[in-house]
Amino acid sequence: MMQILAPAGNADSLAAAVRSGADAVYLGAGAFNARRNAENFGPGGLKAAIEYCHGRGVEVHVTLNTLIRDEEREAFLQTAREVIEAGADAVIVQDMGAAAYLRRLCPELPLSASTQMAIHNAAGAKKMEEMGFFQVVLARELSLKEIKYIHDNTNIRLETFVHGAHCMSVSGMCYMSAALGERSGNRGLCAQPCRLNFVCRGREYALSLKDLSFVAHIKELEQAGVTTLKIEGRMKRPEYVAAAVTAVRQARAGEQPDMEGLKKIFSRSGFTDGYLMGRRNLSMFGVRTEADARESRDVLGQMAGLYRREFPGVGVDMTLKTHGEAVTLTVGDGENIVTLEKRPEQTARSPLTKETARRNLSKTGGTPFYLREAQIDLPEGALLAGSQISDMRREALEQLLTLRSRGRAYTLQDCEVTAVSPCLPGKRELRLRFEQEEQAFFPEGVRVQLPVEVLEKCPELLEKDVIGELPALVWPLEEERLKNRLLVLKEQGLKAVAAGNVGTAALALALGLEVHGDAPLNITNTDSLLFYEGMGLKSLTLSMELPLQHGAKLGGSIKRGILAYGHLPLMYFRCCPAQGPGGCGGCQGRPVITDRLRKIFPLVCHGRRYTTLHNGVPLYLGDRERPAFDFETLYFTTETPEQCRQIYALYRQGKPFDGERTTGLAFRLLK
């Protein structure tokens, strides 16, 4: 049976999830989780939460799924030790360095790959499987057919979101909150700027999607190979959690869920199943209205009734028999056993029948237990009081609950934070990244990066020392085609590619290509860098969320570089905000979007497979003092060929940029 995994942002939501019938909950502990503004659970609260859940047959998955920096390693290890000692069932991670620490600290700890890893194809899921992850949380943007393709080509457990908020950008690939407000979604502090009124081609709130709801497609998800049904909402009220868990549980059982009540408790002008069904159109967009909020207030009491009582989710078997002059009751859940033996304190006026005894044993209401089987072995005419049988049942179930209420036992290994020796850069190189062939020029001693689509159109460019940039998003049904395209390019002279996702990096390495890591790999610490170095990559562009002073102190020996100029990508969409009622008609692939201050953000379409939103103000570091790195990349997107050459010349001379510019996060430390 597919597992229902529910959000628990605080103790009340935890109780609502468990009492509504969730099979597992996910929650945050400490500062290293993607919802740092939720109440979350400290060490004592975490242990109590795990005991509460385990007693009721519910797993606890703890989120340690933010990017970490080297100076946070000791704090991260302390939090990780607390999670492991509390006995959590699994830990959800994003950062490859964090995963490495958890592996060293406790090799047997089950790890789940967070949706923040942007695992959206079979190659990525396969890499997680090879790394020993037991489960991967797939990107929300996949269709049923694509999920099934991943299932058919891997052996890892697949977790998908089935209800809750929809990020506009692919998770883990959104930098808007960090770039505009210094609150990083990759570090658990997303300010949700996408919910503000951005306008695109005359349409308002162009970056706000409706909440997803796949409740009507639970059986189809099961057939596609999904093992865990995840509900979003660690910042939501317990009534929302209860309503969502109840609806998913009913749908899983083949019953008709209360979708109207679910919509009333929280929605943004309704729900969407656009990604799952492959309908990526304007019907997916929506905002939270005052009418939506009013409906929520009206049904709070009704939804609170869903979790007033314990959910009987744990089956038990009971055996009642006499033993000499004593009565013995044995209660077991298949793993734990409690046996009580008591002498009758009072004699009943009439004999206790087996039917009456079974009825007394089955009265488990108000507990998390239900009676599966009962064996009654009483002599004829036994004058036992039914009240004593009920008392014994209550006492036995209380003892059984206590027995069950313990965390999983793990063995902790020695794992200490060691000092990092910064890798001294060699000769500082310059790289030029171009979006289009007409922008490209090839200065001597400068390496150029171009999309593989450009190299396919202009194979003569392969005579140069070029790096072919792989698509940022390669959907499952495109993987084989990309492999074949790369093999053709390899025969034509392609030697190196750039990859911004662990899946495409693994795919290219398997083809024997030299692979360079792009910025969306989110490298913010030495252990993450060492992971990709060990994987076989030749160089890495550090995360644009990492200050330069911190990046310069990373260890390892792999070449590392920074983005030093460009209208940097802030979001990656599969559902394009620039489409009209009829789709892409009339769009030339270079629309713009404006915010409430009328600032312009350019959009770049990539073959109608995905779209990137870029910062309207370019990053420029050419005239600033900065630490040395092995290479610096000028990232050209919408500039004219003349602008590309002018900016290159200014940069080489260390001159100021003529026009509005930003230094981004190069000299600012994100919280």
Side-chain angles (χ1 to χ4, degrees):
M1 184 181 292
M2 292 183 293
Q3 183 185 66
I4 299 173
L5 179 61
N10 55 39
D12 290 339
S13 292
L14 178 78
V18 173
R19 289 184 163 211
S20 302
D23 304 303
V25 297
Y26 64 101
L27 49 85
F32 301 100
N33 78 90
R35 291 292 182 271
R36 284 164 62 187
N37 286 331
E39 287 185 35
N40 296 310
F41 295 80
L46 177 62
K47 187 174 185 297
I50 290 173
E51 290 175 349
Y52 173 81
C53 289
H54 282 188
R56 291 154 179 81
V58 175
E59 290 185 0
V60 177
H61 298 197
V62 178
T63 57
L64 295 177
N65 59 338
T66 59
L67 301 180
I68 62 174
R69 296 190 294 262
D70 276 2
E71 72 273 16
E72 297 172 324
R73 291 175 299 163
E74 187 59 66
F76 176 82
L77 273 176
Q78 179 58 34
T79 299
R81 289 189 187 98
E82 292 166 357
V83 170
I84 295 166
E85 289 171 349
D89 297 282
V91 171
I92 305 170
V93 292
Q94 170 190 11
D95 191 291
M96 293 300 186
Y101 270 114
L102 290 167
R103 274 280 171 261
R104 292 200 292 272
L105 189 62
C106 184
E108 63 196 288
L109 177 70
L111 296 184
S112 178
S114 172
T115 190
Q116 292 291 118
M117 282 192 181
I119 303 299
H120 63 283
N121 51 43
K126 189 71 175 177
K127 186 61 183 177
M128 296 300 103
E129 183 183 334
E130 291 172 1
M131 291 174 61
F133 282 76
F134 87 100
Q135 184 160 272
V136 58
V137 188
L138 294 176
R140 293 173 174 89
E141 291 75 16
L142 298 174
S143 68
L144 269 171
K145 186 182 292 186
E146 291 167 337
I147 293 170
K148 187 175 190 312
Y149 180 89
I150 295 174
H151 170 262
D152 291 347
N153 287 277
T154 62
N155 295 307
I156 195 168
R157 288 170 56 94
L158 303 182
E159 178 179 320
T160 62
F161 281 93
V162 294
H163 191 82
H166 233 331
C167 292
M168 183 67 196
S169 175
V170 174
S171 296
M173 300 178 73
C174 182
Y175 309 97
M176 178 177 275
S177 182
L180 303 187
E182 298 185 43
R183 294 178 59 185
S184 169
N186 283 313
R187 288 179 57 80
L189 290 174
C190 179
Q192 298 188 354
C194 53
R195 299 296 181 188
L196 299 175
N197 191 12
F198 287 85
V199 178
C200 189
R201 301 180 73 185
R203 189 171 61 83
E204 295 191 318
Y205 294 98
L207 296 181
S208 181
L209 293 176
K210 295 176 181 176
D211 283 17
L212 69 84
S213 188
F214 302 160
V215 176
H217 305 289
I218 297 298
K219 293 301 180 182
E220 295 163 273
L221 287 166
E222 184 176 30
Q223 292 165 5
V226 171
T227 52
T228 300
L229 306 169
K230 188 170 192 173
I231 298 167
E232 184 278 338
R234 279 195 286 149
M235 301 294 289
K236 299 281 200 335
R237 300 178 62 106
E239 292 87 350
Y240 164 89
V241 175
V245 170
T246 300
V248 174
R249 180 171 52 79
Q250 290 171 335
R252 185 182 63 179
E255 302 169 4
Q256 182 61 46
D258 179 12
M259 294 303 296
E260 187 60 28
L262 190 57
K263 175 178 173 291
K264 287 179 178 179
I265 196 65
F266 192 93
S267 84
R268 291 182 171 89
S269 308
F271 302 132
T272 178
D273 60 2
Y275 281 134
L276 194 70
M277 295 292 101
R279 294 190 296 266
R280 298 181 291 272
N281 54 37
L282 294 184
S283 68
M284 292 185 64
F285 292 85
V287 295
R288 179 83 169 152
T289 66
E290 176 52 38
D292 294 329
R294 189 165 52 250
E295 284 189 331
S296 295
R297 293 191 291 269
D298 291 344
V299 298
L300 283 177
Q302 174 189 341
M303 297 307 170
L306 296 173
Y307 62 98
R308 285 203 177 98
R309 295 173 59 84
E310 290 272 14
F311 181 81
V314 181
V316 293
D317 302 318
M318 300 186 187
T319 300
L320 180 69
K321 61 182 180 180
T322 56
H323 182 69
E325 296 183 359
V327 178
T328 301
L329 175 63
T330 300
V331 179
D333 60 8
E335 181 179 350
N336 304 284
I337 295 176
V338 171
T339 299
L340 295 181
E341 185 175 293
K342 298 202 173 184
R343 292 180 177 275
E345 297 175 358
Q346 55 183 326
T347 302
R349 295 181 179 178
S350 58
L352 180 69
T353 66
K354 290 185 177 181
E355 290 73 20
T356 301
R358 182 175 285 103
R359 194 160 51 246
N360 279 313
L361 293 178
S362 67
K363 293 179 180 179
T364 59
T367 77
F369 303 105
Y370 67 91
L371 180 64
R372 282 189 306 224
E373 292 186 8
Q375 295 184 18
I376 314 294
D377 185 9
L378 297 176
E380 288 290 333
L383 296 175
L384 295 175
S387 59
Q388 184 168 355
I389 303 302
S390 296
D391 290 343
M392 291 179 71
R393 180 203 70 235
R394 279 192 291 270
E395 184 178 346
L397 290 179
E398 287 174 2
Q399 290 187 23
L400 182 62
L401 183 62
T402 300
L403 271 179
R404 294 172 54 86
S405 299
R406 58 181 182 268
R408 290 180 61 166
Y410 298 103
T411 302
L412 280 170
Q413 307 290 332
D414 290 335
C415 182
E416 296 182 359
V417 173
T418 56
V420 172
S421 299
C423 178
L424 298 177
K427 180 183 177 182
R428 184 183 296 185
E429 300 173 3
L430 195 60
R431 293 183 183 178
L432 302 179
R433 183 271 183 190
F434 300 106
E435 184 76 39
Q436 307 163 65
E437 63 270 23
E438 56 265 25
Q439 295 172 321
F441 57 96
F442 300 84
E444 185 176 349
V446 174
R447 201 152 193 197
V448 170
Q449 181 171 314
L450 285 160
V452 292
E453 293 87 352
V454 171
L455 298 179
E456 286 175 311
K457 289 191 296 182
C458 309
E460 67 276 6
L461 296 176
L462 293 169
E463 298 175 6
K464 311 284 187 180
D465 185 20
V466 296
I467 299 173
E469 180 178 294
L470 301 181
L473 296 167
V474 179
W475 309 110
L477 303 183
E478 300 171 353
E479 290 179 80
E480 283 301 318
R481 182 169 176 268
L482 177 61
K483 289 180 187 177
N484 294 332
R485 291 164 59 199
L486 290 176
L487 286 173
V488 171
L489 286 170
K490 185 179 178 183
E491 290 177 1
Q492 295 173 332
L494 178 67
K495 295 181 178 62
V497 296
N501 182 269
V502 67
T504 51
L507 183 153
L509 286 169
L511 296 178
L513 291 164
E514 179 183 290
V515 178
H516 300 265
D518 257 347
L521 290 179
N522 293 331
I523 309 295
T524 61
N525 60 72
T526 295
D527 284 276
S528 183
L529 182 146
L530 290 173
F531 166 79
Y532 286 105
E533 182 176 330
M535 191 173 164
L537 274 63
K538 296 299 182 183
S539 74
L540 290 168
T541 298
L542 303 180
S543 169
M544 61 185 182
E545 295 189 355
L546 184 67
L548 300 188
Q549 292 290 345
H550 289 252
K553 296 176 182 178
L554 298 185
S557 58
I558 189 173
K559 284 187 174 183
R560 74 288 312 272
I562 61 170
L563 296 174
Y565 166 81
H567 293 273
L568 300 186
L570 301 182
M571 290 179 132
Y572 294 78
F573 313 131
R574 195 175 192 187
C575 183
C576 182
Q579 62 183 299
C584 298
C587 180
Q588 302 303 312
R590 293 293 185 273
V592 298
I593 195 165
T594 57
D595 68 6
R596 65 195 191 286
L597 301 177
R598 300 194 177 183
K599 291 184 178 179
I600 295 174
F601 298 80
L603 297 170
V604 177
C605 174
H606 300 273
R608 299 188 179 183
R609 300 188 315 279
Y610 66 95
T611 306
T612 51
L613 179 146
H614 294 260
N615 199 343
V617 179
L619 172 77
Y620 185 78
L621 304 178
D623 58 342
R624 293 291 301 265
E625 281 192 30
R626 56 196 184 277
F629 292 89
D630 294 298
F631 62 92
E632 297 178 348
T633 299
L634 307 186
Y635 190 96
F636 295 110
T637 50
T638 58
E639 295 86 353
T640 66
E642 293 74 22
Q643 288 173 328
C644 293
R645 290 179 178 273
Q646 290 168 2
I647 292 165
Y648 168 73
L650 287 174
Y651 199 89
R652 290 303 295 256
Q653 298 169 43
K655 292 184 177 180
F657 181 75
D658 184 19
E660 188 179 8
R661 62 91 176 266
T662 178
T663 56
L665 300 168
F667 306 103
R668 290 180 282 177
L669 184 64
L670 290 172
K671 294 180 181 178

